[in-house]
């Protein structure tokens, strides 16, 4: 399994997942279809389906044009509001693309119909992959727009049960600001400090910070650390869902207080990351 990380728009990511034996490919969150098809052609793969995490414009806007250009293409997701949806998926449903298994995980909170996708191959040394859209990002998570903090807590808790080596491919490049907030929450967390230093270097070099791993996220992502004493102390809350809700409010204040960050210019060509070839942190 090979993942092509494709920066689009101001800070979005779409992905192309390639099964290297059959050369079958699946796209995730298509925002710029022509860019995707250029890479499909360059890789000489057969695009068979689109997995859409949620209905928001910057994750699903490319579906209609892609469906027009590729008649018969399956467009899959959990929300009827997704553009050009051909089949609605259910929580726990499993799909198969060549040797790649896909488990569909309903993760409401950011939107009511948000679906995350867990991919793996049997008898393969590569770690599994999670395409988390706006449910979980590197060192953060998406805003809770259509659900409660309790719903988002349950969604994140479910994702947290996946294997720690799982590679996390999220929907946006928000890592630097997420880690700056994480440092405010836990100023004595060495994992936050090290990841922030690494992310600054990536930002200077204008290269993506994805993927991370779930194991790493548990060390520095405050939204996955709601049971940890430093995070509870920062929020003044004890119940996990209350801690999460307080983090959302504090994050909003943090963003309002800071100067707006200029969108990072993204390379026109997709960057290739094999699941085992992510650059090591320093």
């Amino acid at each position: 399994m090979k993942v092509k990380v494709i920066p689009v728009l101001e800070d979005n990511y779409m992905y192309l997942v390639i099964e290297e034996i059959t050369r079958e490919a699946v796209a995730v969150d298509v925002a710029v279809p022509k860019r995707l098809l250029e890479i499909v052609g360059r890789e000489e793969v057969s695009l068979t389906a689109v997995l859409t995490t949620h209905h928001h414009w910057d994750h699903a806007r490319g579906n209609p044009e892609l469906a027009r250009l590729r008649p018969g293409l399956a467009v899959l997701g959990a929300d009827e509001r997704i553009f050009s949806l051909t089949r609605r998926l259910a929580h726990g449903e499993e799909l198969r693309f060549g040797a790649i298994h896909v488990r569909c995980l309903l993760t409401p909170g950011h939107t009511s119909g948000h679906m995350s996708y867990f991919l793996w191959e049997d008898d393969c040394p590569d770690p599994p992959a999670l395409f988390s859209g706006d449910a979980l990002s590197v060192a953060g998570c998406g805003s809770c727009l259509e659900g409660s903090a309790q719903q988002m807590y349950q969604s994140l808790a479910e994702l947290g049960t996946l294997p720690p080596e799982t590679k996390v491919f999220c929907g946006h490049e928000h890592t630097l600001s997420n880690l700056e907030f994480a440092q405010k929450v836990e100023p004595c967390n060495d994992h936050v400090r090290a990841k922030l230093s690494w992310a600054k270097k990536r930002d200077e070099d204008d290269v993506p910070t994805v993927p991370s791993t779930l194991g790493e996220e548990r060390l520095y992502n405050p939204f996955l650390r709601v049971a940890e004493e430093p995070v509870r102390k920062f929020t003044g809350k004890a119940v996990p869902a209350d801690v999460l809700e307080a983090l959302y409010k504090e994050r909003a204040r943090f963003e309002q207080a800071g100067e707006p960050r200029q969108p990072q210019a993204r390379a026109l060509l997709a960057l290739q990351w094999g699941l085992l070839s992510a650059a090591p942190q320093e």
Side-chain angles (χ1 to χ4, degrees):
M1 179 165 57
K2 180 171 68 175
V3 177
K4 301 282 287 187
V5 179
I6 310 172
V8 290
L9 307 179
E10 288 187 349
D11 59 22
N12 277 73
Y13 288 120
M14 61 183 184
Y15 299 98
L16 184 67
V17 184
I18 300 170
E19 205 273 50
E20 295 191 89
I21 297 175
T22 64
R23 306 303 294 170
E24 188 174 356
V26 180
V28 181
D29 282 357
V30 178
V32 184
K34 289 183 179 179
R35 175 87 58 81
L36 176 73
L37 291 178
E38 286 174 4
I39 297 163
V40 166
R42 189 181 309 135
E43 291 289 321
E44 298 182 334
V45 296
S46 173
L47 181 65
T48 58
V50 172
L51 301 175
T52 304
T53 60
H54 60 295
H55 75 283
H56 286 166
W57 174 86
D58 56 333
H59 294 261
R61 73 167 193 166
N63 290 351
E65 183 178 359
L66 191 60
R68 179 182 64 81
L69 294 172
R70 294 294 175 96
L73 184 71
V75 179
L76 309 175
D79 194 321
E80 291 179 349
R81 294 173 291 180
I82 292 172
F83 302 137
S84 302
L85 188 72
T86 61
R87 185 161 72 84
R88 189 173 180 180
L89 300 171
H91 175 66
E93 185 173 350
E94 294 199 358
L95 311 171
R96 187 78 177 264
F97 301 99
I100 299 174
H101 299 265
V102 181
R103 182 179 302 146
C104 305
L105 301 173
L106 190 63
T107 45
H110 182 66
T111 67
S112 58
H114 192 290
M115 186 73 87
S116 299
Y117 301 98
F118 179 65
L119 279 65
W120 77 96
E121 291 178 289
D122 293 331
D123 304 318
C124 177
D126 289 357
L130 174 67
F131 294 88
S132 56
D134 287 354
L136 176 67
S137 56
V138 181
C141 69
S143 55
C144 198
L145 298 178
E146 295 182 0
S148 65
Q150 179 64 36
Q151 276 185 310
M152 183 60 93
Y153 168 70
Q154 291 172 338
S155 294
L156 292 175
E158 172 143 23
L159 296 182
T161 65
L162 298 173
E165 68 272 18
T166 301
K167 297 286 187 179
V168 178
F169 294 91
C170 58
H172 291 272
E173 180 58 54
H174 290 165
T175 301
L176 197 54
S177 60
N178 287 345
L179 285 164
E180 289 169 347
F181 175 66
Q183 189 170 59
K184 180 181 180 181
V185 176
E186 293 189 90
C188 296
N189 186 323
D190 290 338
H191 301 289
V192 172
R193 187 179 301 111
K195 188 73 174 182
L196 179 56
S197 176
W198 175 85
K200 287 179 177 178
K201 181 63 168 59
R202 305 289 287 182
D203 184 69
E204 291 170 0
D205 294 339
D206 193 26
V207 292
T209 59
V210 294
S212 63
T213 71
L214 275 176
E216 292 173 353
E217 293 296 323
R218 293 175 187 140
L219 297 175
Y220 52 65
N221 188 330
F223 295 90
L224 289 183
R225 294 174 54 78
V226 293
E228 300 296 327
E229 182 57 31
V231 181
R232 293 168 62 182
K233 183 177 180 180
F234 174 81
T235 61
K237 305 292 183 181
V239 177
D242 294 342
V243 175
L244 188 66
E245 186 172 22
L247 283 174
Y248 274 122
K249 292 177 181 177
E250 290 296 330
R251 177 62 197 259
R253 294 190 188 101
F254 179 80
E255 290 178 344
Q256 290 171 1
E259 294 183 4
R261 182 179 298 278
Q262 291 299 316
Q264 202 176 29
R266 291 293 164 196
L268 292 179
L269 296 179
L271 297 175
Q272 176 178 313
W273 291 83
L275 291 179
L276 288 177
S277 64
Q281 297 178 30
E282 297 179 356

